[in-house]
Amino acid sequence: MSINYVESNKESTIDLYYKRTAYQTAVTISNAGSYKNLVNFNFGEKHLYGRVNRFFIPITPVPVLLPLKQFNTSNAPEKSISAINFVVDAFNGLALEFKRCAASGQIRSDEPFLSNLTVYKAYEDPEKLYNEYLTTYFNSIANEFQRRKVQVKNFDEFITEFELLLESSIREIPFTKAAYVKSRYCPINCSGLAVEIADLDCANDEEKINNFVNSPNWEFYVNACRSYGFMVDRFIPWRLVADIGNAPTISPMLNYSSKYGYETTNQILVSGYEYAHVSFYNKFKYFLLNLYNKVKPTGIQEIRHCSGVPKIFITYPQIYTIDQLTKKYSEEYFLKLYFDLRFLEEESQFKDFEKEMLIDDCLELYQHKSEWVALETFERILNKTFDYQGSLSYIKEQLEAERTTTATSAITTTGGGY
């Protein structure tokens, strides 16, 4: 199974290598290359910035809690371009600083992108993008069932075939929303923290050098972004990302967020974002039933011999409503299925017996607490790499300790690079 995504660079590998090397060299030798806010978001934990919390659990912003706001300067006035309110405030301040300095002759006023800052792209709704992704995903699954001539008679057969199919593809092409948010299919724009001031080709290193790195306003740009609490994407220099960190020093961005009641990184991440697995698991059964209905055949023809005479019989697959599915299969069944799929999606060091122990312990948490406590515990352990002790009491102690830490201390440099 395959899902295509845009690859803008069509040149040969060696040409790309030389151009990328030239671009990195140009950035390095520029004076702005020494600024700490010029960040490689393809490296390490920074790749997940804005899409995971300090425990590496995938998260998405909640617009009701972190309201979106439209930009003053947009390249597309006919449509709404927005981001989280304090990000827009900081950018508007940055854009005003550019206008003031350009008018006074402190910087060049004729640069295509670095004189008058204009927004081309910002927030993208992660729920909308994921739903579009799922549509393509389900179509690919259905096509693969058809290609392999897999015919299922009931939900049990479907789940068996579905898991077999995913074993070879789910690591690169995730199914759950939690894995999607961490994947290359989900852009950093879904965090609500990113702003793009150009619409150039990300793969065109020559344009990056000509329009940004070699611009006479380049050093002013990187320095000004730092002053207003923005990081600059090292490889997509027109992308600004709000720095909401407070270690080792407090980002100026928190001055803007504090006006809305978010004074620390913790408050932003804990109060303004939600776990990606929550909205997904609420629809998990519906997704599975929808996919089952999509792949099940209208009827299955079978040839049987009656008194030596071959006859064609048609078997009709089982039909379910969501209520029937919920009654037939327990909540433990769906939780275990979710856990199994998440293990397939994540590259972890868990041994088989450790996986079984973790699932058993989380199912016990479900029985004594709720499915949400079980899911949160599972995601914390799955996404953050620490030794699994195989003890339910240990899990509870870790969960309580982490909650206490979250409530009483500031976020450090771990977890998505905050």
Side-chain angles (χ1 to χ4, degrees), residues 243 245-255 263:
D243 181 0
N246 56 5
T249 58
I250 297 176
S251 168
M253 187 61 63
L254 294 181
N255 293 329
E263 298 182 353

Side-chain angles (χ1 to χ4, degrees), residues 73 95 98-99 102 107-109 111-119 197 217:
T73 57
F98 264 78
K99 284 185 178 180
I107 61 174
R108 288 280 294 271
S109 61
E111 289 297 294
F113 301 107
L114 296 184
S115 290
N116 182 26
L117 301 188
T118 301
V119 180
I197 61 169
N217 294 347

Side-chain angles (χ1 to χ4, degrees), residues 135-362:
T135 298
T136 303
Y137 192 95
F138 283 6
N139 288 336
S140 297
I141 292 290
N143 290 337
E144 195 65 18
F145 266 66
Q146 187 175 24
R147 187 185 71 82
R148 298 187 182 193
K149 298 181 179 179
V150 176
Q151 295 184 309
V152 295
K153 301 184 183 71
N154 52 52
F155 191 75
D156 286 325
E157 290 185 7
F158 160 69
I159 291 298
T160 298
E161 296 293 340
F162 181 51
E163 287 189 288
L164 285 174
L165 176 60
L166 294 191
E167 283 182 0
S168 61
S169 64
I170 198 170
R171 187 71 57 80
E172 288 76 30
I173 310 172
F175 170 50
T176 70
K177 187 178 178 182
Y180 167 81
V181 168
K182 290 172 62 176
S183 76
R184 68 185 185 275
Y185 297 102
C186 182
I188 193 173
N189 303 68
C190 287
S191 68
L193 301 173
V195 185
E196 299 185 21
I197 61 169
D199 58 349
L200 302 177
D201 184 350
C202 295
N204 193 323
D205 292 322
E206 288 185 31
E207 285 190 328
K208 296 177 190 177
I209 293 174
N210 295 334
N211 291 301
F212 286 86
V213 180
N214 285 347
S215 167
N217 294 347
W218 168 245
E219 186 175 357
F220 175 86
Y221 167 66
V222 179
N223 192 36
C225 287
R226 179 186 59 178
S227 299
Y228 283 85
F230 284 104
M231 296 176 284
V232 178
D233 191 323
R234 187 180 185 91
F235 291 104
I236 308 177
W238 55 87
R239 177 183 289 164
L240 312 183
V241 181
D243 181 0
I244 59 173
N246 56 5
T249 58
I250 297 176
S251 168
M253 187 61 63
L254 294 181
N255 293 329
Y256 289 94
S257 65
S258 64
K259 297 176 183 177
Y260 297 94
Y262 293 96
E263 298 182 353
T264 67
T265 314
N266 268 358
Q267 289 178 343
I268 295 173
L269 293 178
V270 175
S271 302
Y273 288 76
E274 68 178 358
Y275 294 139
H277 64 261
V278 172
S279 61
F280 174 84
Y281 193 76
N282 274 328
K283 303 175 183 177
F284 187 38
K285 299 167 192 175
Y286 293 91
F287 287 150
L288 292 174
L289 181 57
N290 182 24
L291 188 53
Y292 169 74
N293 289 331
K294 194 174 187 65
V295 303
K296 70 178 177 64
T298 304
I300 302 173
Q301 290 188 354
E302 294 179 294
I303 298 178
R304 301 175 189 172
H305 289 79
C306 298
S307 302
V309 179
K311 291 187 176 180
I312 296 176
F313 290 84
I314 299 178
T315 302
Y316 296 98
Q318 180 70 46
I319 296 175
Y320 307 88
T321 65
I322 191 65
D323 290 336
Q324 291 172 332
L325 198 68
T326 302
K327 289 178 181 179
K328 182 175 176 61
Y329 300 93
S330 67
E331 195 64 42
E332 286 94 336
Y333 172 87
F334 288 105
L335 280 170
K336 184 179 184 306
L337 178 57
Y338 176 85
F339 297 151
D340 288 338
L341 292 175
R342 290 293 288 121
F343 271 128
L344 288 175
E345 288 176 321
E346 297 288 338
E347 186 175 356
S348 68
Q349 301 300 316
F350 288 94
K351 298 180 176 62
D352 287 342
F353 79 91
E354 291 175 329
K355 294 178 182 178
E356 293 175 6
M357 292 172 64
L358 177 56
I359 290 176
D360 288 343
D361 286 345
C362 288

Side-chain angles (χ1 to χ4, degrees), residues 29-69:
I29 64 177
S30 69
N31 291 331
S34 61
Y35 285 123
K36 292 183 179 179
N37 69 316
L38 192 60
V39 176
N40 180 1
F41 284 95
N42 294 323
F43 180 75
E45 63 190 18
K46 283 295 183 183
H47 167 67
L48 300 174
Y49 186 89
R51 293 179 289 144
V52 298
N53 66 6
R54 67 172 301 200
F55 306 113
F56 294 94
I57 299 178
I59 55 176
T60 56
V62 183
V64 174
L65 302 175
L66 281 177
L68 301 175
K69 185 175 182 178

Side-chain angles (χ1 to χ4, degrees), residues 391-404:
S391 164
L392 185 59
S393 61
Y394 175 78
I395 294 174
K396 291 178 179 177
E397 290 172 4
Q398 286 289 320
L399 186 59
E400 184 59 34
E402 289 175 350
R403 281 176 173 163
T404 301

